[in-house]
Amino acid sequence: MTLVQTKTITEFETHLFHEGTYFESYRKFGAHLSNEKGTVGTRFTVWAPNAKKIEIVGSFNDWHGEQYAMNKITTSGIWSLFIPEVTEGELYKYKIYPEGGGEPLLKADPYAFYSEKRPKSASIVYSLEGYNWGDREWQRKKRRENILKKPVSIYEVHLGSWKKTEDGDFLSYRELAHDLVDYVKEMGYTHIELLPVVEHPFDRSWGYQATGYFSVTSRYGTPKDFMYFVDRCHQEGIGVILDWNPCHFCRDGHGLRLFDGAPVFEYQDPHRAENTEWDTNNFDLGKPEVISFLVSNAFFWFDLFHIDGLRVDAVSSILYMDYGKEDGEEWLPNKYGGRENLEGLNFLRTLNEAVFERFPNVMMVAEESTSWPLVSKPTYSGGLGFNFKWNMGWMNDMLEYMKKDPIHRKHHHQNITFSFLYAFSENFVLPLSHDEVVHSKRSLLNKMPGDYWQKFANLRVLLGYQMGHPGKKLLFMGGELGQFDEWKDLEQLDWNLLQFEFHWKMRQYCRQLNQLYTTEPALYEQDHTSKGFEWIDPHDHSQSIISFIRWGYNFQDHLIIVCNFTPQVYHGYRIGVPKDVSYKEIFNSDAEEYGGSGILNSDELQPHEVEWHHRPYSIELNIPPLATFILKPLAAREEN
């Protein structure tokens, strides 16, 4: 390994950090192996503005730091020290003596690249240099393509519970790089989205409450093992998205809370610092050094780990001063008297502008649950600057609709049509995520009404409708198996279900649905423009049937999608079609191979010169029960 000659922070870098614009601060803060004046060792740098003294303690000095006091190199609280002969693998913490007195604090390094496996909490000296990446072709392809016009079918995964070893332990990153990646490729997904992989002390926080933002969790291996995982995803043509939480952090004593005895990363005002909904602390998004820290963390994942996207968690909690506050609970309005968090708004725009300037082809996805406008629009037009937004409204409406007995669905028809009114106001991802199948919300399959057969049929029609609806797609792991139990985050998925016919057929259904999606341009090319969608009939509420067209750039690529949300079968059901061309059925969720009843449109569908749905031509269809089916045009007829 070639060591950098020095990792000493420069005066200019210090200026940028305190200005809130040092977006590669991970290159100087933390612990870096280096060679200084011919001596090999490690340079440690930390920001602690309220510390009176800081000592570095660790395995190299038997946790006694009297001879290892750091130097305060700026009046605004940056401390640094080079320690000779400290090499990779050494454990360490900062022993911080608060300016205001009191007992010294033992803190993990906010910029540590590696940490001990919980419940231990020391940071580990680790070099991220030297991994030989093999994803050059993937990176070249990513630079050439516009992700908005490409298929995106995301498999959302919690690494700790997707699958486990025979003795119940976690699979390692390197094992997952083969088992999980091979599975995702076989299933036809284009991307994996991982619940947070940053270091976190409590398994059941799933990584959303972190202590080590720059530290890949040691639960599954080393940072370079994780690089191997990402690398193999890319070599197999699969993108990697990370869930990322710049909103709040956990209160564990070795973490960021009261880092030097006073609020550093959190707000000074306790009303703003305390996040009562999650029992955490909110980041102080008005502090320039915190902006440098968080934007640097986004850069870190794109830069050093080749990540393809970040799904930013709980954006609404950043946008609103009163988010999560109960009625009567104190919160402070902004300077104009409103509830908008102006500092949070500035942070999100700064984040996205900086990311897209440096990494223009990545995905920045907002999980934003309110009606805040222009979330996925550029900042220069008043937007937040993300390029995608989770469509939480679609998700909530559809799951509420699907829970209802089909006999009552005609009274709630707007749940399946309303989303098309705003489908092109943002660049949407349609999520069926982990949050909807945990905490007694029941699994997707078990949300469905009816008997055993109808539950599977309902799930198939939902997933087919999702695939036809404009927007990118996301399904949480286990949904493709038709799990009856909701997500059990301490156990692996119910893989044993695949010995049963309907569960095995459900997985086959999801696999072939993905394959159809990635091979039919009409399903993704014009996802985010109204040119890509056209209603045939949204009004048949009495029979709970909808029909619409998805358009690709070429006429021959258009598809007709019909969904029946009741178990009623119809023959001779007529719909209008756009042209005098024949159609063939290319997909039907009621096919017997998926567990359906086998009501198909097997023959070529010839148009009739019968006006229907305000169109000069129409066709007659068999409408299968609780099913989504898709028609594709054949070659146009010759004109007479």
Side-chain angles (χ1 to χ4, degrees):
M1 184 191 326
T2 302
L3 297 180
V4 176
Q5 289 301 306
T6 180
K7 282 292 184 180
T8 306
I9 192 168
T10 68
E11 185 177 342
F12 179 62
E13 289 164 339
T14 298
H15 168 76
L16 293 179
F17 179 74
H18 293 307
E19 185 183 63
T21 59
Y22 188 21
F23 299 150
E24 293 185 349
S25 57
Y26 51 88
R27 297 190 181 278
K28 293 296 177 72
F29 284 86
H32 293 269
L33 296 168
S34 61
N35 184 331
E36 302 197 8
K37 298 180 180 178
T39 301
V40 173
T42 299
R43 175 162 288 280
F44 299 86
T45 302
V46 68
W47 175 57
N50 305 295
K52 178 171 60 177
K53 182 173 73 170
I54 303 177
E55 297 170 349
I56 301 176
V57 298
S59 56
F60 51 87
N61 61 12
D62 293 324
W63 302 93
H64 296 292
E66 293 84 357
Q67 305 301 316
Y68 297 86
M70 302 185 77
N71 303 309
K72 190 174 185 180
I73 62 173
T74 69
T75 56
S76 49
I78 296 178
W79 303 71
S80 190
L81 179 68
F82 175 75
I83 304 180
E85 299 180 1
V86 170
T87 57
E88 190 166 38
E90 298 282 9
L91 307 180
Y92 71 100
K93 281 188 176 182
Y94 297 118
K95 189 173 185 179
I96 301 176
Y97 296 80
E99 184 73 53
E103 292 296 315
L105 308 169
L106 278 178
K107 291 288 188 174
D109 188 348
Y111 282 89
F113 294 155
Y114 192 31
S115 304
E116 283 188 292
K117 188 175 179 179
R118 54 90 180 100
K120 297 179 179 180
S121 58
S123 302
I124 302 174
V125 176
Y126 190 89
S127 174
L128 294 178
E129 298 173 12
Y131 181 81
N132 186 23
W133 287 90
D135 65 346
R136 182 176 300 176
E137 181 54 38
W138 170 267
Q139 300 296 352
R140 185 182 298 114
K141 179 182 176 184
K142 188 166 72 174
R143 286 192 295 270
R144 291 197 308 261
E145 295 180 342
N146 181 350
I147 193 67
L148 291 173
K149 299 177 181 179
K150 301 300 293 183
V152 176
S153 179
I154 303 166
Y155 188 60
E156 187 187 32
V157 175
H158 176 248
L159 290 178
S161 58
W162 178 74
K163 189 177 286 187
K164 296 202 173 186
T165 64
E166 290 185 1
D167 59 2
D169 202 357
F170 298 131
L171 293 180
S172 69
Y173 291 123
R174 288 183 179 265
E175 290 170 322
L176 289 160
H178 294 275
D179 293 3
L180 175 58
V181 173
D182 290 349
Y183 179 79
V184 168
K185 183 177 182 181
E186 176 195 357
M187 289 296 296
Y189 294 99
T190 64
H191 291 71
I192 297 174
E193 181 174 320
L194 301 178
L195 272 61
V197 295
V198 296
E199 197 55 78
H200 55 285
F202 183 46
D203 287 0
R204 307 205 75 178
S205 78
W206 312 328
Y208 290 100
Q209 297 182 15
T211 51
Y213 272 75
F214 292 82
S215 184
V216 179
T217 179
S218 54
R219 285 167 173 80
Y220 318 115
T222 70
K224 287 181 181 173
D225 291 337
F226 184 62
M227 290 178 179
Y228 179 84
F229 173 85
V230 176
D231 198 7
R232 187 152 195 281
C233 284
H234 289 170
Q235 291 177 39
E236 295 298 332
I238 297 165
V240 182
I241 303 167
L242 298 185
D243 273 19
W244 185 61
N245 180 14
C247 321
H248 58 101
F249 54 88
C250 69
R251 298 177 177 179
D252 290 61
H254 66 281
L256 301 180
R257 181 174 185 264
L258 299 175
F259 184 72
D260 56 11
V264 175
F265 291 91
E266 68 268 44
Y267 288 100
Q268 185 79 30
D269 183 340
H271 294 300
R272 301 193 70 183
E274 299 297 313
N275 190 313
T276 55
E277 182 175 11
W278 293 304
D279 195 26
T280 54
N281 280 104
N282 295 318
F283 279 107
D284 183 350
L285 299 178
K287 195 173 292 181
E289 294 86 353
V290 173
I291 303 301
S292 288
F293 176 82
L294 289 173
V295 178
S296 288
N297 189 237
F299 274 40
F300 173 78
W301 296 109
F302 293 128
D303 181 14
L304 300 186
F305 286 89
H306 294 202
I307 296 302
D308 303 292
L310 295 176
R311 176 267 199 184
V312 182
D313 187 56
V315 169
S316 302
S317 72
I318 296 176
L319 290 173
Y320 298 99
M321 305 286 282
D322 61 344
Y323 183 88
K325 303 288 186 183
E326 299 291 339
D327 290 342
E329 196 172 346
E330 289 189 48
W331 60 276
L332 299 174
N334 64 35
K335 62 182 180 181
Y336 302 111
R339 57 192 285 257
E340 299 82 8
N341 182 356
L342 302 181
E343 295 168 349
L345 182 61
N346 178 69
F347 161 69
L348 292 173
R349 287 173 170 160
T350 298
L351 167 71
N352 288 315
E353 287 172 355
V355 164
F356 284 117
E357 181 178 5
R358 173 70 187 281
F359 308 98
N361 302 106
V362 300
M363 297 175 68
M364 291 293 288
V365 187
E367 188 226 7
E368 204 286 306
S369 57
T370 73
S371 57
W372 188 284
L374 306 178
V375 171
S376 60
K377 304 302 178 184
T379 58
Y380 59 74
S381 60
L384 294 185
F386 293 93
N387 57 354
F388 290 98
K389 176 185 176 180
W390 269 23
N391 194 336
M392 309 290 281
W394 173 88
M395 178 187 70
N396 291 325
D397 284 349
M398 282 309 303
L399 292 181
E400 283 302 313
Y401 179 82
M402 295 304 301
K403 292 175 187 176
K404 300 183 185 302
D405 189 300
I407 199 171
H408 300 303
R409 287 176 178 169
K410 62 185 176 182
H411 303 299
H412 304 274
H413 195 69
Q414 71 278 2
N415 281 42
I416 56 173
T417 60
F418 179 67
S419 59
F420 291 98
L421 295 177
Y422 62 86
F424 310 107
S425 63
E426 302 276 4
N427 302 327
F428 281 121
V429 175
L430 307 179
L432 294 171
S433 74
H434 68 280
D435 275 332
E436 306 313 309
V437 294
V438 73
H439 299 323
S440 301
K441 294 180 183 178
R442 296 181 292 170
S443 69
L444 286 181
L445 183 70
N446 227 3
K447 294 179 194 289
M448 303 298 139
D451 59 23
Y452 184 78
W453 186 91
Q454 288 184 346
K455 283 182 178 292
F456 282 92
N458 270 299
L459 183 53
R460 290 194 304 270
V461 69
L462 169 62
L463 297 178
Y465 167 84
Q466 178 196 30
M467 204 60 80
H469 193 293
K472 310 308 183 188
K473 326 300 177 186
L474 179 143
L475 181 66
F476 183 58
M477 64 181 198
E480 81 282 8
L481 305 180
Q483 290 204 163
F484 274 105
D485 290 343
E486 66 178 19
W487 174 37
K488 303 180 288 291
D489 58 320
L490 298 180
E491 303 175 25
Q492 70 172 6
L493 297 182
D494 294 333
W495 295 104
N496 60 301
L497 291 175
L498 292 176
Q499 66 184 300
F500 302 106
E501 178 186 5
F502 269 68
H503 297 276
W504 184 85
K505 287 184 173 181
M506 175 57 71
R507 186 174 69 165
Q508 289 300 101
Y509 175 72
C510 291
R511 183 175 68 85
Q512 294 191 31
L513 196 58
N514 276 326
Q515 290 175 350
L516 175 78
Y517 170 64
T518 55
T519 55
E520 290 295 338
L523 293 175
Y524 59 80
E525 276 187 343
Q526 300 201 82
D527 252 339
H528 307 292
T529 169
S530 58
K531 295 178 181 178
F533 172 83
E534 187 176 353
W535 276 117
I536 294 176
D537 184 10
H539 302 300
D540 191 0
H541 61 88
S542 63
Q543 298 176 108
S544 299
I545 297 174
I546 58 172
S547 52
F548 55 90
I549 304 170
R550 292 299 309 278
W551 294 96
Y553 290 124
N554 297 321
F555 169 78
Q556 284 299 126
D557 288 333
H558 83 268
L559 300 175
I560 290 176
I561 299 167
V562 184
C563 302
N564 176 17
F565 291 96
T566 75
Q568 183 66 46
V569 176
Y570 301 93
H571 297 284
Y573 186 94
R574 187 176 292 275
I575 64 170
V577 293
K579 294 287 184 179
D580 183 17
V581 298
S582 299
Y583 288 84
K584 67 175 180 179
E585 184 178 88
I586 62 170
F587 196 85
N588 190 325
S589 70
D590 194 50
E592 291 181 4
E593 64 180 302
Y594 308 135
S597 63
I599 306 295
L600 308 177
N601 293 278
S602 302
D603 298 329
E604 183 178 319
L605 297 165
Q606 302 286 351
H608 304 134
E609 201 167 339
V610 176
E611 184 175 348
W612 213 260
H613 296 137
H614 307 291
R615 300 175 187 278
Y617 302 99
S618 57
I619 56 177
E620 289 188 344
L621 302 169
N622 297 322
I623 302 292
L626 293 170
T628 296
F629 63 96
I630 300 176
L631 311 176
K632 185 172 183 175
L634 299 170
R637 294 181 179 181
E638 293 183 6
E639 297 291 340
N640 293 329

